[in-house]
């Protein structure tokens, strides 16, 4: 059958379109970052995720499938060595085979230093806490023991270090998204227009989310509450809610009796109305610290352990935090 000029033209257009371009293998470390990357890549490709399901980057052990994904990656997005400790050595081993993007260093990111002392404990005394407490959180203490011990000492809790939960402020998420789009457009110029259009849509959604969260937490901004570990500083800073303290500094290590007693006293002194657990860690600790107080318990999920990975996850995560805070604090006396 003889090709017509029209068919030849159509073939040329189709073969030169982004849909026919080879999409690079992209890997994201944790669910919130994966969600932002997936939003930028919509209609082009899907990134791989390292920390899946209800696993936590604080206690994660690499799987063979993770190592294979990294070896095949052209781009890897992560928050940075202060959070995903388990990725440091594998990423170093990649050498120049992949572009590794540390999103905590993205232009425009606002960084907050760790809080020190009082209800938030000191962040530079890993030896004392490791020796005193010594009990690691998790269903398999033996499997996580070594990783937890390393995390307790090297989790970025040294003096002058920054809190790495930066995605819990939508303005920081926008800065991360801009760096993601820039990196993908440079790596995959054939799909640059699609990445740019997706970034614009994502920014609009993030702006709407930010406005919605302001309204959600407005009625409960002045009510103090206690969290399992100090992961919410960016949310607090953005929306002016009142985190009164944390049960533990490093979620990998269970707090000792003295620490629990301090938090119990803090709840009574400040009149904290809610204490929030996290899905991956021991909820019974919350019951211990609220016993004998009028405080209620709730759950916050800063790393989206209970959510399905994908472009919408980031929004479900942030809306879920706002709804959990409002639900517990509004019902508390």
């Amino acid at each position: 059958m003889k090709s017509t000029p029209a068919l030849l033209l159509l073939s040329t257009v189709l073969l030169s379109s982004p849909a026919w371009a080879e999409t690079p293998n992209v890997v994201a470390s944790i669910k919130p970052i994966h969600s932002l990357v997936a939003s930028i890549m919509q209609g082009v490709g899907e990134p791989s995720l390292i920390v899946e399901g209800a696993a936590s980057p604080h206690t994660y052990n690499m799987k063979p499938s993770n190592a294979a994904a990294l070896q095949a990656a052209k781009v890897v997005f992560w928050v940075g060595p202060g959070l995903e400790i388990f990725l440091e050595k594998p990423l170093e081993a990649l050498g120049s085979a992949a572009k590794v993007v540390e999103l905590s260093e993205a232009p425009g990111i606002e960084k907050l230093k760790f809080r020190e002392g009082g209800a938030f404990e000191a962040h530079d005394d890993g030896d004392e806490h490791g020796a005193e407490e010594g009990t690691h959180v998790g269903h398999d203490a033996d499997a996580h023991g070594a990783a937890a011990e390393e995390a307790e000492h090297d989790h970025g809790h040294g003096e002058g270090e920054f809190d790495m939960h930066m995605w819990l402020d939508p303005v920081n998420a926008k800065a991360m998204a801009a760096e993601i789009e820039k990196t993908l457009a440079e790596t995959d110029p054939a799909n640059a227009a699609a990445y740019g259009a997706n970034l614009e849509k994502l920014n609009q959604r993030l702006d709407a989310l930010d406005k919605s969260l302001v309204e959600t937490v407005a009625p409960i901004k002045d009510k103090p509450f206690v969290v399992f570990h100090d992961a919410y500083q960016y949310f607090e800073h953005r929306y002016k809610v009142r985190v009164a303290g944390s049960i533990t500094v490093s979620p990998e290590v269970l707090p000792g009796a003295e620490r629990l007693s301090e938090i119990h006293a803090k709840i009574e002194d400040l009149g904290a109305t809610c204490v929030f657990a996290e899905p991956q860690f021991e909820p019974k600790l919350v019951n211990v610290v609220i016993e004998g107080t009028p405080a209620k318990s709730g759950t916050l999920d800063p790393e989206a352990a209970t959510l399905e990975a994908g472009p919408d996850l980031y929004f479900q995560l942030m809306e879920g935090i706002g709804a959990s805070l409002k639900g517990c604090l509004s019902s508390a006396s």
Side-chain angles (χ1 to χ4, degrees):
M1 179 175 163
K2 195 172 183 179
S3 298
T4 66
L7 284 174
L8 288 172
L9 178 61
L10 178 61
S11 298
T12 301
V13 170
L14 288 174
L15 290 172
S16 62
S17 70
W20 288 84
E22 183 180 353
T23 305
N25 288 325
V26 179
V27 175
S29 59
I30 61 173
K31 285 181 175 180
I33 300 305
H34 177 270
S35 181
L36 296 176
V37 177
S39 292
I40 300 296
M41 294 186 70
Q42 274 190 308
V44 179
E46 294 183 7
S48 299
L49 172 64
I50 297 291
V51 183
E52 298 179 308
S56 167
H58 299 287
T59 56
Y60 194 72
N61 291 321
M62 285 275 288
K63 300 176 183 177
S65 59
N66 300 147
L70 288 177
Q71 287 297 326
K74 194 165 185 180
V75 184
V76 179
F77 293 104
W78 68 322
V79 180
L83 184 75
E84 307 100 319
I85 298 169
F86 71 92
L87 271 179
E88 286 190 77
K89 291 179 181 178
L91 291 180
E92 288 174 4
L94 291 179
S96 59
K99 183 173 180 60
V100 177
V101 181
E102 188 176 329
L103 291 173
S104 60
E105 298 299 323
I109 287 281
E110 182 179 13
K111 295 182 180 181
L112 302 175
K113 289 189 176 182
F114 281 113
R115 289 184 271 213
E116 301 286 350
F120 293 102
E121 220 173 354
H123 289 266
D124 57 353
D125 53 356
D127 291 334
E128 179 184 342
H129 287 280
E132 179 188 345
E133 295 161 4
T135 305
H136 297 288
V137 177
H139 298 293
D140 186 349
D142 292 333
H144 294 307
E149 183 176 354
E150 179 184 359
E152 172 69 3
H153 291 282
D154 299 321
H155 184 52
H157 286 173
E159 186 176 355
E161 294 295 332
F162 295 99
D163 185 337
M164 298 297 284
H165 300 83
M166 300 167 186
W167 63 86
L168 292 179
D169 179 343
V171 177
N172 275 349
K174 288 181 73 172
M176 291 179 174
E179 186 68 7
I180 292 166
E181 186 274 338
K182 176 176 176 288
T183 302
L184 292 175
E186 291 173 351
T187 305
D188 181 22
N191 287 306
Y195 297 137
N198 285 339
L199 175 63
E200 187 174 345
K201 293 176 185 176
L202 178 57
N203 283 337
Q204 291 173 356
R205 290 190 72 186
L206 289 170
D207 286 340
L209 171 69
D210 185 35
K211 182 178 179 181
S212 174
L213 286 171
V214 169
E215 297 172 355
T216 296
V217 303
I220 49 89
K221 284 201 303 183
D222 297 326
K223 294 189 175 184
F225 59 95
V226 170
V227 295
F228 181 76
H229 84 291
D230 192 17
Y232 307 90
Q233 189 177 183
Y234 289 94
F235 192 98
E236 175 188 2
H237 179 71
R238 179 69 184 166
Y239 300 109
K240 309 303 185 232
V241 292
R242 290 185 61 195
V243 179
S246 60
I247 293 175
T248 184
V249 171
S250 299
E252 309 87 3
V253 180
L254 292 175
E258 182 179 351
R259 177 66 184 163
L260 294 177
S261 178
E262 289 174 358
I263 292 299
H264 187 277
K266 195 71 172 178
I267 292 170
E268 292 185 321
D269 291 345
L270 292 180
T273 52
C274 286
V275 179
F276 291 94
E278 291 179 18
Q280 309 99 314
F281 303 109
E282 294 285 354
K284 66 183 180 182
L285 293 175
V286 171
N287 295 328
V288 171
V289 297
I290 67 174
E291 186 177 357
T293 77
K296 296 187 176 183
S297 64
T299 302
L300 295 176
D301 189 7
E303 292 155 6
T306 61
L307 300 177
E308 183 177 348
D312 293 329
L313 174 141
Y314 180 81
F315 299 89
Q316 295 166 356
L317 163 66
M318 297 296 287
E319 289 165 354
I321 291 175
S324 292
L325 289 174
K326 183 177 181 180
C328 186
L329 293 170
S330 294
S331 63
S333 57

